């Protein structure tokens, strides 16, 4: 078993779980580039209902994300994941069989009820060693980003060939494939990672909601996904108006997404190496706000739209990639699962509000109203983000402990916090676990382990 790389079990867990997560997100994202064009064909259509159909999954995801994670801790990861996928598949079938906008909204809401993100991440943590866990989580994150790119490319192609119902039937087929992967490819977990690192704990949520730095991140991810969902109410129509046929939209999205990745990577490197992460983060929000404002003012010619879409996705991808990393450093030791649960719920709630608000704005104020209001929301986010504190470099660790009493654990915690390289320490005697944030260049891991296991 390599100490520096993933072993065979971890590789299998990483790629199978990442594929399951990616397939599910692909099914959710494919509607974005096509629904503004095909939605008006449904009975009962109105701009408000169109927005609700795009964002409905976000509300049920936000409400059920934390409870499903907690249930997975009680009843097992795989049973809860499979149950969630079944619900997701039923929702896809309901949407596929609907010829009214109301049926599609119901189906999308049911898709969101299969809220398995927390359970998948918890299973990934169970199947990996502490030092290899970030690599597995990064693999899952990469597949989520890839699924978004693929959705923008193949969504219009599938819908052009098979219609909107065909898109939802394709999503149901992807869900069956994901269920087969869970049942036959994903390893069974024999251990559980420390609870506080991967599953939300109800008694911690109230304090984390009011944590000043975490609050800024939660507002940020809410705003980012609100903007994304609201923009896709009109963006496909703008491309049609510019003369680009729906089935050719991938010819714009694909190079624009790749171009945005090339643009964002240098800024990520500068932010990390030059300790300018806060400035780069604020700059990305400013770029997002500027792009949204330009969308509302500039004419719908293809060249302008290509430039603006590249700018939009450069800002979006940078912010989407960096916020979880910042969260992992800001979250207090031992409550990362709870912090991530609130963060994920904020993300999905933003998607719902973006759909609902975007639909309402388009009904009352038209295309420019949507982009102007979203630009103002991005400016408000920028002002909030400027209050973020610079974070010292640290990594999160969890260690088993062997203390005879609560008092002995408290004494050890007092000694720990005064040791070189220990940024934060939380000892949970009832779980026999210690959650630490360490500067691993200064901390003596062997000395820490000796203290925790007297």
């Amino acid at each position: 078993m390599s100490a520096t790389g993933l072993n065979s079990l971890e590789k299998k867990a990483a790629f199978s779980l990442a594929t399951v997560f990616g397939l599910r997100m692909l099914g959710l994202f494919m509607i974005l580039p096509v629904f503004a064009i095909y939605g008006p064909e449904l009975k009962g259509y109105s701009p408000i209902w169109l927005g609700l159909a795009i964002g409905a999954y976000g509300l049920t995801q936000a409400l059920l994300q934390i409870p499903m994670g907690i249930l997975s801790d009680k009843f097992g990861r795989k049973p809860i994941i499979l149950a969630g996928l079944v619900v997701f598949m039923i929702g896809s079938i309901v949407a596929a069989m609907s010829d009214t906008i109301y049926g599609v909204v119901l189906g999308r809401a049911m898709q969101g009820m299969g809220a398995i993100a927390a359970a998948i991440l918890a299973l990934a943590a169970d199947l990996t060693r502490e030092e290899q866990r970030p690599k597995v989580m990064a693999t899952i994150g990469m597949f989520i980003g890839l699924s978004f790119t693929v959705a923008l490319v193949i969504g219009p192609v599938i819908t052009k060939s098979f219609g909107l119902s065909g898109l939802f039937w394709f999503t149901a087929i992807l869900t069956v494939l994901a269920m087969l992967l869970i049942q036959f490819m994903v390893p069974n977990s024999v251990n559980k990672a420390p609870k506080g690192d991967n599953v939300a704990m109800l008694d911690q949520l109230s304090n984390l909601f009011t944590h000043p730095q975490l609050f800024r991140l939660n507002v940020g991810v809410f705003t980012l996904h609100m903007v994304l969902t609201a923009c896709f109410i009109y963006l496909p129509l703008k491309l049609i108006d510019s003369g680009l046929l729906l089935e050719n939209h991938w010819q714009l999205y694909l190079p624009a997404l790749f171009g945005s990745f090339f643009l964002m990577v240098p800024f990520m490197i500068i932010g990390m190496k030059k300790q300018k992460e806060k400035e780069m983060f604020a700059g990305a929000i400013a770029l997002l706000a500027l792009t949204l404002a330009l969308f509302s003012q500039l004419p719908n010619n293809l060249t302008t739209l290509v430039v603006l879409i590249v700018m939009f996705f450069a800002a979006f991808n940078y912010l989407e990639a960096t916020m979880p990393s910042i969260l992992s450093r800001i979250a207090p030791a031992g409550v990362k699962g709870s912090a991530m649960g609130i963060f994920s719920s904020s993300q999905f709630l933003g998607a719902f509000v973006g759909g609902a608000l975007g639909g309402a704005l388009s009904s009352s104020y038209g295309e420019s109203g949507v982009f102007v209001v979203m630009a103002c929301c991005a400016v408000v986010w920028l002002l909030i983000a400027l209050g973020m504190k610079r974070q010292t470099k640290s990594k999160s660790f969890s260690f088993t402990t062997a203390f005879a009493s609560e008092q002995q654990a408290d004494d050890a915690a007092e000694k720990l916090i005064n040791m070189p390289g220990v940024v934060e320490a939380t000892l949970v005697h009832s779980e026999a676990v210690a959650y630490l944030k360490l500067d691993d260049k200064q901390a003596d891991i062997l000395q820490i382990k000796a203290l925790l296991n007297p």
Side-chain angles (χ1 to χ4, degrees), residues 4-258:
T4 57
L6 297 175
N7 60 40
S8 59
L9 175 70
E10 289 165 337
K11 288 177 182 177
K12 188 176 181 181
F15 287 102
S16 57
L17 287 172
T19 302
V20 170
F21 213 129
L23 288 173
R24 179 176 162 278
M25 297 310 293
L26 179 61
L28 287 172
F29 287 145
M30 282 192 298
I31 194 177
L32 288 179
V34 300
F35 201 68
I37 297 163
Y38 284 86
E41 298 176 2
L42 296 167
K43 296 175 185 176
Y45 165 83
S46 72
I48 294 176
W49 280 101
L50 183 144
L52 286 173
I54 291 177
Y57 79 94
L59 178 62
T60 45
Q61 282 271 354
L63 293 174
L64 295 175
Q65 195 67 238
I66 291 174
M68 289 285 277
I70 295 171
L71 286 174
S72 79
D73 207 43
K74 184 174 183 181
F75 297 108
R77 312 295 188 210
K78 280 194 174 185
I80 294 300
I81 294 171
L82 287 170
L85 287 171
V86 168
V87 173
F88 184 88
M89 182 179 67
I90 293 172
S92 302
I93 294 171
V94 167
M97 296 179 69
S98 298
D99 59 359
T100 69
I101 191 76
Y102 315 115
V104 173
V105 170
L106 175 62
R108 290 282 285 175
M110 291 181 68
Q111 283 182 324
M113 291 172 67
I116 58 173
I120 288 179
L121 295 176
L123 180 56
D126 292 343
L127 292 167
T128 54
R129 292 163 290 163
E130 172 76 32
E131 63 273 16
Q132 301 302 328
R133 205 165 290 151
K135 298 177 185 177
V136 176
M137 298 303 179
T139 302
I140 293 174
M142 181 180 68
F143 273 59
I144 295 172
L146 181 62
S147 71
F148 181 69
T149 303
V150 173
L152 293 184
V153 172
I154 71 170
V157 176
I158 292 173
T159 312
K160 178 67 177 177
S161 301
F162 303 104
L164 197 59
S165 64
L167 186 74
F168 287 117
W169 282 118
F170 182 69
T171 299
I173 293 169
L174 291 179
T175 310
V176 173
L177 179 57
M179 293 167 67
L180 292 173
L181 284 170
I182 288 292
Q183 188 64 31
F184 299 110
M185 287 290 293
V186 176
N188 291 309
S189 60
V190 293
N191 297 307
K192 278 196 177 183
K195 184 177 179 180
D197 267 355
N198 54 58
V199 176
M201 295 181 289
L202 294 176
D203 59 341
Q204 300 288 345
L205 296 181
S206 59
N207 292 332
L208 294 176
F209 271 116
T210 56
H211 187 291
Q213 300 306 311
L214 291 177
F215 174 77
R216 287 176 167 85
L217 277 183
N218 294 331
V219 168
V221 77
F222 173 91
T223 305
L224 185 64
H225 283 264
M226 177 180 68
V227 164
L228 176 71
T229 310
C231 284
F232 270 94
I233 290 176
Y234 265 117
L235 192 54
L237 295 173
K238 288 174 79 73
L239 295 178
I240 294 285
D241 290 344
S242 73
L244 191 65
L245 297 175
L246 175 64
E247 60 267 30
N248 296 328
H249 284 192
W250 69 269
Q251 296 175 5
L252 186 154
Y253 286 133
L254 192 59
L257 284 161
F258 279 119

Side-chain angles (χ1 to χ4, degrees), residues 164-394:
L164 197 59
S165 64
L167 186 74
F168 287 117
W169 282 118
F170 182 69
T171 299
I173 293 169
L174 291 179
T175 310
V176 173
L177 179 57
M179 293 167 67
L180 292 173
L181 284 170
I182 288 292
Q183 188 64 31
F184 299 110
M185 287 290 293
V186 176
N188 291 309
S189 60
V190 293
N191 297 307
K192 278 196 177 183
K195 184 177 179 180
D197 267 355
N198 54 58
V199 176
M201 295 181 289
L202 294 176
D203 59 341
Q204 300 288 345
L205 296 181
S206 59
N207 292 332
L208 294 176
F209 271 116
T210 56
H211 187 291
Q213 300 306 311
L214 291 177
F215 174 77
R216 287 176 167 85
L217 277 183
N218 294 331
V219 168
V221 77
F222 173 91
T223 305
L224 185 64
H225 283 264
M226 177 180 68
V227 164
L228 176 71
T229 310
C231 284
F232 270 94
I233 290 176
Y234 265 117
L235 192 54
L237 295 173
K238 288 174 79 73
L239 295 178
I240 294 285
D241 290 344
S242 73
L244 191 65
L245 297 175
L246 175 64
E247 60 267 30
N248 296 328
H249 284 192
W250 69 269
Q251 296 175 5
L252 186 154
Y253 286 133
L254 192 59
L257 284 161
F258 279 119
S260 70
F261 280 118
F262 280 112
L263 281 175
M264 80 173 202
V265 168
F267 291 102
M268 292 185 75
I269 294 172
I270 292 169
M272 289 185 289
K273 288 192 172 181
K274 303 291 186 182
Q275 298 292 300
K276 298 289 185 182
E277 192 173 35
K278 180 179 176 180
E279 288 81 0
M280 295 296 118
F281 189 79
I285 301 173
L287 177 62
L288 183 69
L290 174 63
T291 304
L292 292 166
L294 292 176
F295 266 129
S296 71
Q297 300 300 318
L298 296 181
N300 289 348
N301 67 73
L302 192 57
T303 303
T304 300
L305 288 175
V306 168
V307 173
L308 291 180
I309 287 172
V310 171
M311 290 169 59
F312 178 86
F313 282 118
F316 177 86
N317 289 327
Y318 180 90
L319 294 164
E320 183 81 344
T322 54
M323 280 195 284
S325 173
I326 296 171
L327 176 79
S328 68
R329 282 175 278 150
I330 290 177
V335 292
K336 191 189 298 181
S338 300
M340 185 58 76
I342 296 172
F343 180 83
S344 296
S345 295
S346 301
Q347 171 184 329
F348 289 118
L349 187 60
F352 167 72
V353 172
L357 181 59
L361 288 169
S362 67
S363 180
S364 301
Y365 303 105
E367 170 190 325
S368 61
V370 174
F371 288 109
V372 167
V373 171
M374 291 302 113
C376 292
C377 291
V379 170
V380 172
W381 176 20
L382 175 61
L383 296 174
I384 293 172
L386 291 174
M388 289 178 65
K389 294 180 181 178
R390 296 184 187 277
Q391 298 301 309
T392 56
K393 285 192 173 182
S394 63

